[in-house]
Amino acid sequence: TELRFDGPAEAEYNRFRGVTPNPGAFLQTTLGLVRLGQVRRSELFGVPGTVLKRDPLTIAFEGGALELLEIQPEGKKRMTGRDWANGAR
């Protein structure tokens, strides 16, 4: 199930919880698909789709943000969101 940056943060977080662990949730980024392992809500706000923090990796959604604690980029092993953001620059 794809999460969308233009969706409300709370609703997207609930969608993530509803499909985890199977079939799973993912985000489409400019660097490809990123499968989500662990996500939690954040108190931050920003323009949907932008990175608000790197540690932990926090991405803005409509009306809020989510922290991507554990992710799996296409063709790679699971890693922390921070490690992926540092490698992606």
Side-chain angles (χ1 to χ4, degrees):
T1 302
E2 181 178 4
L3 302 187
R4 302 185 50 92
F5 297 117
D6 59 355
E10 186 69 26
E12 295 302 301
Y13 177 69
N14 289 335
R15 284 181 66 205
F16 165 78
R17 290 185 320 139
V19 297
T20 302
N22 284 320
F26 64 90
L27 285 171
Q28 179 66 50
T29 70
T30 56
L31 301 173
L33 288 177
V34 177
R35 191 169 180 82
L36 304 175
Q38 291 182 359
V39 174
R40 71 177 170 211
R41 290 176 290 198
S42 172
E43 300 297 320
L44 301 177
F45 291 90
V47 178
T50 59
V51 175
L52 302 176
K53 275 177 51 178
R54 278 193 168 183
D55 191 13
L57 178 59
T58 306
I59 308 288
F61 284 77
E62 187 65 42
L66 297 177
E67 295 175 0
L68 310 183
L69 303 176
E70 184 181 83
I71 63 172
Q72 183 176 4
E74 279 185 294
K76 309 261 183 185
K77 294 182 180 180
R78 284 185 177 247
M79 62 183 73
T80 66
R82 180 192 65 200
D83 289 346
W84 180 72
N86 286 338
R89 299 212 180 243

